[in-house]
Structures are given as structure tokens and as C-alpha cells.
């Protein structure tokens, strides 16, 4: 990844003929040799998630946002981010798959990459839909994602969730699907999402017998989601050499300091925020205190905590402002005392994040 941070880049809106210029951040926040290993891949210490790209219900997506999404993507590349997470189910209704389509367009049109598209690591997740009953159907899902992304090979192909709790026979077929897409060269590595520690060991051992290393495990991991299960998953990952990817490191926005009991977001998130925020004062106070002392923002502190725990966080981005703020989570580290202060404050907050309904044991 080239670091030409002092130059001004211009690129064209995918939907209009106007051009926009912006200046990337002046100093590199980390150097290329500070990438972290994720199986056979080298990735930035933080990636970005694209759940909001195409999601009208939860995140209010409109196609008019595509230009600012492209700006955000380009700025991320300019500042060394090379990991982008998506899924074939991202996008609501007729926009299903929109996240992958946008990423494909942005990669193809990127001035920051200029023929070096292979440096970008796209991690996409394949939904365990009930009609995907064979390994061949899972391979077909991978091929469809590659078409939307306009690339020949994925960085990481991930099983979006486990069916062990309700369709255990389907689970083995999906595992075989991961093996098949790896053997066919459609993905450089394979991973899972929403797997608990017990099921994570099972799939790791199964893939190992098939000669396929398990590269990553993506789980909800943050100061709002740091219970015994998350800590056990992290222990298993460390023991087996699996990189843990932290999704929702800002608790859907609750750890940003932007919201309160009297100022809730619009849409479905408001109900969840209304339940959790009233008891979150100890954690928010600790985040604000450390942020002020460090000259950082609350989101930067919350994301840096995830990095300090040895995970690769993937906060969602919808604008250049999001990218600029999230990039400030890198290039420094919380002290051990600060980490403990945050974890103690999290324990003092009576409510934690609701876990994904597909999360297994």
C-alpha cells in the first residue's frame, strides 16, 4: 500500500460528472510493516465494515449516499486501510448485495489503488440460508459475490453464522463449501462469524483434517460486549492461531458519546439504545475521561481498546468524517491501567449489548 499522504487526490463520483478533492491526513498513523497477520494475509490493524451500505431499515441508506461512501473508501485506502468487511446479505429488499456491488465499483474506480487492487483484502460473509443445503450451493454463493465485487479472488470467505443450533446437518455441508471454495482458489483464506468457543474448536479441527486453515473468527466484541463468552472465544482464537475480528466495536454507536437517554437515534436502534443507555454512565464517563486526557475522541478510545486486546476491529463507515475519526484510533495504545479502568467501568454498567441470535456456544 503506497503512503502518499501529502498529496491531494481527485476522483469522480460514480453517479455524477463533478470531481471532488480532499487532502488525506498529514501523517501516517501506522507504517506498512505494522500490518498484522491474518492467516496468509497481512492486514491493517483496523478494517472497516460496510453493513450500512445498502441497509435502509437500520442505517437509512439511500443511493444518493454512494458518492460520500466512495470518498470514505478512498480516504481509507490513502491512509493504509486494506481490510474491508461485507456480506452477500448486506442490503435490504431489492438492494440485497448492494454492499458488495458498491465495493466492487469503488475498487475498480479507485485512484489510490491504480492497478494494485490485489492489495485490498475483501472479507465477505455468506449467509447460511435454509436453501443453501450443499457445498456446491455455497460455492455458487461465493461465485456470485465475486461477480458483484468484480474481482477474481476473495481475501477471506466467511460463513456468516452457524446452523448448529437448528440445522446441524446443513452445518457440515456449509463447512464443506468453505473447503471447496478454498480448494478452487476462489478465496485466499476462510473464516467464520458468530461462532461460540465450542463450535469454533469443532470447525477448526474439521477444516484442519481437510487441509484448510481457519484464518479468522468474527464476533461482536467491544466494551459493551466483553463477557465470559467473548473472553473464552478470544482465548480459543489465541490458542489455535485464529485472528479475532471485532464487529460493532462501538456498540452500534452507543460508545460514541453522541447519544443519551434523551437523545436517541432514529429508527429501530432507538428501542435498544433506550434500554441500555440509562445504565451506561460509568462506562461513558470513563471513556470521556480518558479521551480528554489523551486528546482523543470517545470512539477512538473504544476502538483502541479492541486493538489493545489483540483483535482487528471493523467499525462501520458512511462518510469521510467517520474515516477521519476512526483512523485516530491507531498509532497509539492505551496503558494497562487505562484498559483496566474501562473494563471495570463496563462491569459497573448494568446492561450489556444484546448478542446476535445466531451466536453459538
Amino acid at each position: 500500500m503506497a503512503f502518499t499522504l501529502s498529496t491531494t487526490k481527485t476522483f469522480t463520483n460514480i453517479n455524477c460528472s463533478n470531481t471532488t478533492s480532499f487532502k488525506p491526513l498529514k501523517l501516517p498513523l501506522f507504517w506498512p510493516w505494522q500490518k498484522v497477520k491474518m492467516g496468509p494475509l497481512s492486514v491493517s490493524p483496523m478494517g472497516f465494515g460496510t453493513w450500512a451500505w445498502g441497509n435502509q431499515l437500520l442505517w437509512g441508506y439511500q443511493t444518493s449516499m454512494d458518492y460520500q461512501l466512495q470518498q470514505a473508501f478512498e480516504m481509507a485506502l490513502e491512509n493504509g486501510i486494506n481490510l474491508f468487511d461485507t456480506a452477500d446479505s448486506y442490503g435490504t429488499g431489492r438492494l440485497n448485495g448492494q454492499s458488495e456491488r458498491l465495493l466492487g465499483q469503488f475498487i475498480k474506480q479507485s485512484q489510490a489503488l491504480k492497478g494494485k487492487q490485489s492489495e485490498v483484502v475483501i472479507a465477505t460473509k455468506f449467509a447460511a440460508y435454509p436453501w443453501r443445503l450443499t457445498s456446491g450451493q455455497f460455492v455458487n454463493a461465493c461465485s456470485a459475490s465475486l461477480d458483484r465485487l468484480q474481482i477474481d479472488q476473495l481475501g477471506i470467505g466467511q460463513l456468516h453464522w452457524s446452523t448448529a443450533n437448528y440445522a446441524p446437518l446443513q452445518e457440515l455441508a456449509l463447512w464443506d463449501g468453505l473447503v471447496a471454495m478454498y480448494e478452487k482458489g476462489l478465496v485466499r483464506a476462510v473464516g467464520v462469524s458468530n461462532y461460540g468457543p465450542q463450535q469454533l474448536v469443532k470447525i477448526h479441527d474439521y477444516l484442519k483434517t481437510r487441509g484448510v486453515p481457519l484464518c479468522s473468527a468474527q464476533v461482536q466484541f467491544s466494551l459493551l460486549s466483553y463477557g465470559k463468552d467473548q473472553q473464552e472465544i478470544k482465548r480459543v482464537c489465541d490458542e489455535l492461531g485464529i485472528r479475532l475480528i471485532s464487529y460493532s466495536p462501538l456498540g452500534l454507536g452507543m460508545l460514541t458519546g453522541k447519544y443519551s437517554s434523551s437523545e436517541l437515534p432514529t429508527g429501530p436502534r432507538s428501542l435498544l439504545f433506550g434500554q441500555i443507555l440509562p445504565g451506561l454512565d460509568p462506562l461513558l464517563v470513563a471513556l470521556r475521561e480518558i479521551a480528554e486526557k489523551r486528546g482523543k475522541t470517545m470512539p477512538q478510545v473504544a476502538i483502541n481498546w479492541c486493538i489493545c486486546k489483540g483483535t482487528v476491529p471493523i467499525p462501520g463507515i458512511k462518510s469521510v468524517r467517520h474515516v477521519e475519526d476512526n483512523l485516530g484510533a491507531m498509532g497509539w495504545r492505551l496503558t494497562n491501567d487505562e484498559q483496566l479502568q474501562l473494563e471495570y467501568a463496563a462491569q459497573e454498567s448494568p446492561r450489556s449489548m444484546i448478542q446476535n441470535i445466531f451466536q453459538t456456544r
Side-chain angles (χ1 to χ4, degrees):
M1 182 70 63
F3 285 81
T4 54
L5 299 181
S6 61
T7 60
T8 299
K9 293 291 181 182
T10 302
F11 58 91
T12 304
N13 183 350
I14 60 175
N15 290 323
C16 69
S17 59
N18 296 331
T19 59
T20 293
S21 299
F22 66 85
K23 291 184 179 180
L25 305 185
K26 293 180 179 179
L27 295 174
L29 294 158
F30 66 97
W31 299 102
W33 56 83
Q34 290 178 305
K35 296 278 180 70
V36 300
K37 295 299 292 182
M38 190 174 287
L41 308 169
S42 293
V43 302
S44 42
M46 173 181 68
F48 283 135
T50 62
W51 180 21
W53 300 14
N55 189 304
Q56 294 175 316
L57 179 64
L58 194 63
W59 300 107
Y61 168 80
Q62 300 295 329
T63 54
S64 59
M65 298 176 178
D66 290 354
Y67 185 37
Q68 70 181 26
L69 294 178
Q70 186 176 26
Q71 287 182 299
F73 177 77
E74 196 77 359
M75 173 169 273
L77 291 174
E78 287 286 352
N79 288 280
I81 300 297
N82 75 330
L83 174 65
F84 296 88
D85 181 78
T86 183
D88 65 357
S89 61
Y90 284 178
T92 50
R94 61 181 178 80
L95 293 173
N96 191 56
Q98 181 74 347
S99 174
E100 291 182 333
R101 279 188 288 270
L102 288 174
L103 268 176
Q105 292 176 46
F106 299 165
I107 291 170
K108 190 173 183 179
Q109 297 174 1
S110 173
Q111 293 192 24
L113 291 173
K114 290 184 177 178
K116 297 182 291 185
Q117 287 87 349
S118 61
E119 294 187 9
V120 176
V121 176
I122 301 298
T124 199
K125 299 181 290 294
F126 310 112
Y129 292 134
W131 54 86
R132 289 178 176 169
L133 297 172
T134 68
S135 61
Q137 289 171 319
F138 222 45
V139 170
N140 291 341
C142 180
S143 296
S145 288
L146 289 171
D147 288 344
R148 285 188 290 270
L149 289 160
Q150 302 181 61
I151 57 178
D152 296 324
Q153 187 182 47
L154 285 168
I156 311 173
Q158 305 166 99
L159 177 52
H160 204 155
W161 65 83
S162 168
T163 65
N165 290 339
Y166 62 92
L169 294 180
Q170 182 187 11
E171 179 92 341
L172 184 57
L174 299 180
W175 292 1
D176 286 338
L178 290 178
V179 172
M181 63 182 70
Y182 180 83
E183 291 179 342
K184 291 176 181 292
L186 301 179
V187 300
R188 294 180 63 190
V190 300
V192 294
S193 179
N194 298 308
Y195 267 61
Q198 295 177 22
Q199 200 67 8
L200 185 59
V201 171
K202 290 179 183 178
I203 187 171
H204 169 272
D205 292 349
Y206 179 78
L207 292 177
K208 187 176 181 180
T209 66
R210 301 292 303 275
V212 179
L214 184 60
C215 160
S216 61
Q218 187 175 146
V219 295
Q220 185 173 213
F221 189 99
S222 73
L223 283 162
L224 262 181
S225 186
Y226 188 55
K228 291 182 179 179
D229 285 346
Q230 281 76 22
Q231 294 177 48
E232 179 64 10
I233 292 169
K234 182 60 173 62
R235 185 195 67 76
V236 170
C237 283
D238 291 345
E239 183 178 292
L240 299 178
I242 302 167
R243 179 66 66 175
L244 193 149
I245 300 175
S246 307
Y247 76 75
S248 293
L250 298 176
L252 299 180
M254 272 184 277
L255 299 181
T256 63
K258 179 180 178 181
Y259 303 104
S260 66
S261 300
S262 58
E263 285 188 72
L264 299 173
T266 58
R269 284 188 299 160
S270 62
L271 180 61
L272 177 64
F273 280 41
Q275 294 174 341
I276 296 178
L277 278 172
L280 210 56
D281 281 350
L283 179 54
L284 295 178
V285 167
L287 280 168
R288 188 172 292 109
E289 178 183 315
I290 293 173
E292 290 175 354
K293 181 177 67 175
R294 287 294 202 122
K296 299 292 181 180
T297 66
M298 291 171 64
Q300 289 167 358
V301 172
I303 294 170
N304 187 270
W305 177 84
C306 292
I307 294 173
C308 288
K309 290 298 172 184
T311 77
V312 175
I314 49 169
I317 54 168
K318 294 195 294 180
S319 67
V320 166
R321 180 179 58 82
H322 287 156
V323 175
E324 288 177 329
D325 190 57
N326 291 340
L327 286 171
M330 297 187 298
W332 61 285
R333 290 182 69 85
L334 291 162
T335 66
N336 289 337
D337 286 345
E338 287 169 335
Q339 293 176 49
L340 289 172
Q341 179 184 349
L342 290 169
E343 290 160 24
Y344 177 76
Q347 291 176 356
E348 291 298 297
S349 300
R351 291 185 179 270
S352 60
M353 201 59 183
I354 295 174
Q355 297 305 297
N356 192 299
I357 59 171
F358 290 112
Q359 181 75 35
T360 60
R361 291 187 176 276

